[in-house]
């Protein structure tokens, strides 16, 4: 019994750091960058949205007008991965996101191809007033 007690006493200093040291915190996940696009007075603000290829980015579309708009970028969405918590990823893949009046729409997109892509609203009055912009992926 004395030998076991001595062995434990000898091993305790070796085991103590393993038991007493708090677990290392997992490295913090990088926050997803966010780009907010405001639709107001038949314009996109900003008119040029800059995104990095292969970097997930949260897009927040804010429609401040009393009429609905849409965010149409078929060429861009055809070459991007989309995550949409509301189950609208398929509609986004088709290239048009409808944003009802005075509402917000949010999704995460990962561009897979570099280049400039046209951004428009296909709502008739928006088209007539020239509501357009560009998405630049670099």
């Amino acid at each position: 019994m004395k030998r076991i007690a001595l062995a434990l006493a000898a091993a305790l200093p070796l085991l103590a750091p393993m038991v007493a040291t708090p677990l290392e915190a997992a490295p913090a996940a990088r926050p997803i960058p966010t780009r907010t696009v405001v639709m107001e007075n038949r314009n996109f603000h900003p008119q040029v949205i800059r995104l990095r290829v292969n970097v997930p980015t949260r897009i927040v579309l804010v429609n401040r007008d009393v009429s609905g708009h849409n965010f149409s970028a078929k060429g861009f969405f055809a070459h991007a991965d989309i995550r949409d918590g509301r189950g609208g990823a398929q509609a986004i893949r088709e290239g048009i996101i409808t944003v009802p009046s005075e509402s917000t729409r949010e999704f995460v997109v990962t561009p897979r191809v570099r280049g400039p892509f046209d951004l428009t609203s296909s709502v008739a009055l928006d088209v007539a007033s020239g509501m357009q912009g560009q998405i630049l992926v670099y």
Side-chain angles (χ1 to χ4, degrees):
M1 187 66 139
K2 201 173 193 181
R3 282 186 186 171
I4 294 173
L6 286 173
L8 282 174
L12 256 165
L14 299 173
L15 295 174
M18 291 172 52
V19 175
T21 304
L23 293 175
E24 293 280 329
R30 284 190 171 161
I32 295 176
T34 299
R35 300 291 182 271
T36 300
V37 179
V38 176
M39 302 165 157
E40 186 172 36
N41 298 322
R42 300 201 190 287
N43 285 301
F44 295 110
H45 303 283
Q47 284 188 305
V48 178
I49 303 158
R50 291 173 174 80
L51 305 173
R52 296 190 60 109
V53 71
N54 297 320
V55 174
T57 303
R58 181 177 321 285
I59 304 292
V60 179
L61 303 176
V62 180
N63 183 355
R64 292 189 179 154
D65 286 336
V66 294
S67 62
H69 295 296
N70 64 41
F71 186 91
S72 178
K74 292 181 181 187
F76 170 72
F77 288 120
H79 301 289
D81 296 333
I82 300 133
R83 285 185 290 153
D84 177 33
R86 293 177 33 186
Q90 182 58 41
I92 295 171
R93 263 189 277 293
E94 292 169 6
I96 298 176
I97 302 166
T98 300
V99 186
S101 64
E102 300 175 336
S103 68
T104 300
R105 182 75 191 276
E106 185 176 318
F107 57 94
V108 175
V109 64
T110 305
R112 297 298 181 197
V113 176
R114 296 179 201 277
F117 299 93
D118 290 333
L119 168 63
T120 62
S121 174
S122 61
V123 174
L125 288 175
D126 295 343
V127 172
S129 67
M131 187 173 182
Q132 60 188 345
Q134 191 175 53
I135 299 172
L136 292 177
V137 180
Y138 60 99

